[in-house]
Amino acid sequence: MSQTQSTIKAALWMGGSITSFLTMTVAGRAIMPELHVFQVMEMRSVIGWFLLLPLVIASGGFAVMRTRRPALHVGRNVVHYAGQFAWLQALTMIPLAQLMSIEFTSPIWGALLAAFFLGERLTVRKAAAIAFGLVGVIIIVRPGATAVDPGHLIILAGAVCFGASVVMVKSLTRTDSVVAIIFWMMVVQTLIGLVPAIAVWRTPTPEMWPWILLVSFTGMSSHFCMARALWHAEAMVVMPMDFLRLPLSALIGVLLYSEQIDVYTAVGATLILAGNLFNLRRNVRAVEAAAP
């Protein structure tokens, strides 16, 4: 009975995480035509830092946020900032189903990069997952058959950045807590984006502020809900639930933006998700700190 209750609680928390992420996607699309990506990212980091404060205090305060590896935090957040920039930039350039499909290759890139930089063994299972992901991307993008949309290349670069970010977060979790990692993400990315944001700054209209607050809040709540879900159940139970983001994003694209889902996107997405499921691992402490 307790296991069933834990699974139900995990599913409810993952429902919160998925809802948060989908809300952030819709809010991001509402903001992007009006504000520059640099400004959106800066506002998200600053507001997100204040939203994180209750968790910081609950974890022991600022003293617990100290780190012995500041250089790795800076490097990780430079890469993660680039990935977030690519994700937001591509958000209004290609259909949501394609965006999410290609974004879901990030765990596959992470597995490949971990083999090179962390010395993890590149098993047959991991190699097969990488192959599934690559074939899925090729089917969606179809280079040579049609003109490659720049949005495809941008989000593919973003997925590689997210994969690299996961590798660095996996290393950071050996010494730092998840709250500390997110704390330094907000601090470092605020500093990285300050000058670019000032250069393109436009005063948001009153109509924009609800969307800005939604992006900032859901960016935090998606991480927190996923972490709570992983506390209630194993990763093998929780992580496949996250794949619901793909069909739900496609449905939002159809209902809100009149986007069409072609057979190539459907087949490519299926292969990418199959590769992820095939390579699903139990240790996903890095996941909640490396999402867009």
Side-chain angles (χ1 to χ4, degrees), residues 79-80 82-91 93-110 112-113 129-143 148-165 268 272 276 292:
V79 173
H80 194 246
Q84 288 182 314
F85 181 92
W87 189 87
L88 284 169
Q89 190 70 44
L91 185 59
M93 298 176 67
I94 58 177
L96 290 181
Q98 296 180 8
L99 178 85
M100 295 298 175
S101 298
I102 298 175
E103 182 212 325
F104 267 114
T105 63
S106 59
I108 297 172
W109 302 120
L112 182 61
L113 291 168
I130 292 169
F132 272 105
L134 288 175
V135 172
V137 171
I138 291 172
I139 290 174
I140 293 173
V141 177
R142 286 177 290 157
V148 177
D149 192 309
H152 290 144
L153 299 180
I154 291 172
I155 189 56
L156 182 59
V160 174
C161 288
F162 288 140
S165 176
I272 291 169
N276 275 298

Side-chain angles (χ1 to χ4, degrees), residues 48-66 177-184 186-187 220 224:
W49 187 85
F50 285 101
L51 293 174
L52 185 66
L53 281 181
L55 284 178
V56 172
I57 295 171
S59 299
F62 292 106
V64 183
M65 299 298 108
R66 292 176 181 173
S177 69
V178 171
V179 174
I181 292 171
I182 299 175
F183 172 83
W184 286 110
M186 298 301 177
V187 171
M220 292 299 306
F224 179 76

